[in-house]
Amino acid sequence: MKFVTNLSAERFNTFAASHQKNHFLQSYEWGVFKSKSPDWSFDTVGLEDTDGNLVAGALVLIRFLPIIKRPFLYVPRGYIIDFNDTQLLQTFTEAMRQYAKSKKAIFIKIDPDIKYVDRTVDGEKVEGSVPNNELLQTLTNLGYRHLGFTQDFDSSIQPRYTFRLDLTPSEKDLLQGCQSKTRYNIKIAQKKGIEIVEGNREDLKTFEAIMRVTGERDGFLTRPLSYFEDMYDTLAPNGMCKLYLAKLNTKQALANIEEELAQTEQSISNLQAQLQNKELNEKKRQKLQNKLEPEANKLNNLTQQKEELQKLYEEHPAGITMSGIIATYFGNKSWYLYGASDNVYREFMPNYYIQWQAFTEAKKAGYEIYDFFGISGKTDESDPLYGLYRFKKGFGGDFTEFIGEFDYVIDPIGYFAWTKLLPQFKKFKKKLRQKKH
């Protein structure tokens, strides 16, 4: 077999997209996008059989480590290989080792798109399911170091847990597969005048502004506009990226709420008329009173909402963007990569409707899997990311745990310095700074 480098975009993507383990992070375009940052460069490599056909491949991201001034190689969600073919995996590993040595790399990091064990929607191990310890042992025997079964969302480069939704059932069955609360929220958004539109490059400015609002609200750092523009410019021309926006049609929303107000007022009027009946016994009278109180509360809420919507319509007669997502596409899969939501009218449930629109459109386009791209492995309510888990869980996907990260060490001394000595040195410097203040 022959190890080849610098594969063309067409040849690499043809192999990668048709492989069972296809992933947008293992596409030529993702390498181009990452290399727009001065921190990264990339290469597309592969292994040819005797007939010149690719039997394995990898998008290799190359980054120089600070202080050490030597690179490491990262193969996100790779390799593109049959991990069950131990001989092929061994051959490719040896080829990658030699390749890494030629780059003077300290180590190779991989986090394969391989499920570790079947779990229930609540994150519990399915009874009778067998963990993929055989592959874990194979990789260990080949010299890879497993970095453990992390659970936190940010303990690894790529999330170890996600929900993956099978898009092959009918749209009706997909809706039925959602939890009842999720179905209700999708209908709420439709009823309230939310419209989902596909944005263009110019709309990224709005998306990034809403993303900053989201980051401030939820306490995380956000990407600059240039990051999203570079991604869009690289992926969108090849159909690998879409921006979806959820917009409140303020005119329609105002009309909807006026109609709901009229219905509520009519309901209250009917109940009051019935209460005027002097022949009512106490039990029926109390029953009517019990119905009247929530209707009156509803009327107050709707009246307040109407006033707010009236002002919003006057300020934004063409509508207002409430949330947005960026979805990616490659092979037979699609991914929900980034999401942002404003603080206004979140009770109109735009985030539910935009997800529904994104994955049903992906289904119509022929994609078979929709990946919600990341949840915490901790599914109890005390976890800070429980809300994210609950939201994604509502769409009925499979709780998926990946096997995790592996490092293949090329230079043990350099690896020890990077993983052990430098973190300790940084902690020591931090303590010194704290003492000075």
Side-chain angles (χ1 to χ4, degrees):
M1 293 191 180
K2 180 183 177 183
F3 186 75
V4 289
T5 64
N6 197 28
L7 295 170
S8 68
E10 183 180 2
R11 188 181 185 203
F12 183 78
N13 276 353
T14 298
F15 172 73
S18 61
H19 199 278
Q20 184 183 7
K21 288 299 162 193
N22 64 73
H23 201 289
F24 81 97
L25 293 176
Q26 280 293 294
S27 66
Y28 190 93
E29 285 80 2
W30 191 254
V32 173
F33 163 62
K34 291 297 289 184
S35 68
K36 290 186 177 184
S37 163
D39 296 328
W40 295 96
S41 59
F42 81 102
D43 196 1
T44 42
V45 306
L47 197 64
E48 293 178 341
D49 63 16
T50 53
D51 295 323
N53 299 313
L54 287 173
V55 292
L59 168 73
V60 182
L61 301 178
I62 305 165
R63 181 166 185 168
F64 275 79
L65 300 171
I67 302 175
I68 294 178
K69 302 299 183 184
R70 287 176 60 190
F72 81 100
L73 310 183
Y74 176 41
V75 185
R77 288 293 186 242
Y79 307 120
I80 311 165
I81 196 171
D82 180 359
F83 279 91
N84 295 318
D85 189 333
T86 304
Q87 184 58 54
L88 180 62
L89 186 57
Q90 181 178 356
T91 301
F92 193 59
T93 295
E94 176 58 26
M96 286 296 296
R97 186 178 76 84
Q98 295 296 335
Y99 174 75
K101 286 179 70 174
S102 74
K103 298 287 186 183
K104 294 183 169 53
I106 292 174
F107 64 97
I108 305 167
K109 181 180 289 291
I110 64 172
D111 46 18
D113 186 348
I114 299 284
K115 184 188 286 190
Y116 177 63
V117 68
D118 291 330
R119 294 191 177 274
T120 68
V121 72
D122 296 313
E124 300 296 328
K125 180 183 170 184
V126 173
E127 188 175 350
S129 64
V130 180
N132 198 350
N133 289 324
E134 186 175 346
L135 176 60
L136 191 64
Q137 189 60 54
T138 297
L139 288 167
T140 302
N141 292 342
L142 289 174
Y144 293 88
R145 302 185 184 191
H146 188 235
L147 301 189
F149 298 106
T150 57
Q151 287 188 299
D152 292 334
F153 191 86
D154 55 357
S155 294
S156 51
I157 297 179
Q158 306 299 335
R160 275 199 68 238
Y161 299 86
T162 189
F163 275 106
R164 278 188 162 175
L165 181 64
D166 178 7
L167 296 179
T168 56
S170 68
E171 194 169 305
K172 180 181 178 182
D173 287 341
L174 285 175
L175 184 60
Q176 195 58 39
C178 294
Q179 294 183 345
S180 58
K181 184 66 174 176
T182 298
R183 293 196 300 270
Y184 174 77
N185 288 340
I186 291 170
K187 290 178 181 177
I188 284 287
Q190 293 170 323
K191 184 178 178 182
K192 293 295 186 181
I194 303 297
E195 298 175 346
I196 311 301
V197 299
E198 184 178 340
N200 55 34
R201 190 183 191 277
E202 189 64 23
D203 292 318
L204 287 170
K205 294 176 182 176
T206 302
F207 175 80
E208 187 272 334
I210 298 175
M211 178 65 87
R212 275 187 276 117
V213 172
T214 308
E216 289 170 9
R217 183 182 67 234
D218 297 340
F220 64 85
L221 295 175
T222 59
R223 303 280 193 177
L225 176 60
S226 59
Y227 178 90
F228 296 113
E229 288 177 336
D230 284 345
M231 180 191 295
Y232 191 87
D233 291 343
T234 308
L235 303 184
N238 296 317
M240 291 179 59
C241 169
K242 283 186 180 180
L243 170 66
Y244 285 100
L245 299 172
K247 292 190 172 185
L248 176 64
N249 183 328
T250 49
K251 183 178 181 180
Q252 184 61 51
L254 193 58
N256 290 349
I257 211 162
E258 286 173 344
E259 182 181 349
E260 198 171 356
L261 260 172
Q263 291 172 352
T264 305
E265 287 170 345
Q266 185 61 52
S267 175
I268 290 172
S269 179
N270 291 340
L271 289 168
Q272 289 173 336
Q274 292 177 61
L275 283 168
Q276 296 301 314
N277 186 350
K278 295 180 180 180
E279 296 180 4
L280 281 177
N281 59 41
E282 191 58 33
K283 186 176 180 181
K284 288 185 177 180
R285 186 175 297 279
Q286 188 60 51
K287 192 174 181 180
L288 289 171
Q289 286 285 3
N290 291 341
K291 288 182 179 181
L292 186 60
E293 185 176 349
E295 286 295 297
N297 290 335
K298 184 179 178 182
L299 181 66
N300 288 334
N301 289 335
L302 289 171
T303 301
Q304 184 177 348
Q305 285 184 29
K306 181 186 174 182
E307 291 175 1
E308 293 172 357
L309 274 172
Q310 184 66 50
K311 292 178 183 176
L312 203 61
Y313 171 64
E314 291 169 1
E315 295 171 4
H316 305 277
I320 183 171
T321 301
M322 306 173 71
S323 64
I325 68 169
I326 292 177
T328 58
Y329 310 86
F330 190 68
N332 68 334
K333 303 183 186 79
S334 55
W335 291 262
Y336 159 44
L337 188 55
Y338 288 104
S341 61
D342 209 333
N343 293 327
V344 296
Y345 291 100
R346 298 178 74 197
E347 68 273 18
F348 285 12
M349 304 301 167
N351 299 335
Y352 287 87
Y353 192 25
I354 202 170
Q355 289 292 338
W356 169 256
Q357 197 76 8
F359 69 70
T360 52
E361 286 199 9
K363 172 184 171 55
K364 291 171 186 174
Y367 295 96
E368 298 173 351
I369 293 171
Y370 186 80
D371 190 322
F372 285 87
F373 208 74
I375 52 172
S376 170
K378 300 173 183 177
T379 58
D380 56 276
E381 293 187 23
S382 62
D383 187 77
L385 293 176
Y386 178 78
L388 183 69
Y389 155 75
R390 184 179 58 192
F391 169 72
K392 295 181 178 182
K393 170 186 174 182
F395 292 96
D398 294 326
F399 189 104
T400 304
E401 177 188 7
F402 295 112
I403 198 166
E405 287 184 3
F406 296 82
D407 284 351
Y408 188 90
V409 179
I410 308 299
D411 178 355
I413 295 175
Y415 186 76
F416 179 77
W418 175 250
T419 58
K420 304 295 183 184
L421 295 183
L422 280 176
Q424 292 300 321
F425 179 65
K426 288 177 180 177
K427 285 182 182 178
F428 178 68
K429 283 179 67 178
K430 186 177 181 181
K431 287 182 179 178
L432 282 179
R433 284 196 299 268
Q434 289 172 345
K435 284 183 179 179
K436 287 178 181 178
H437 293 290

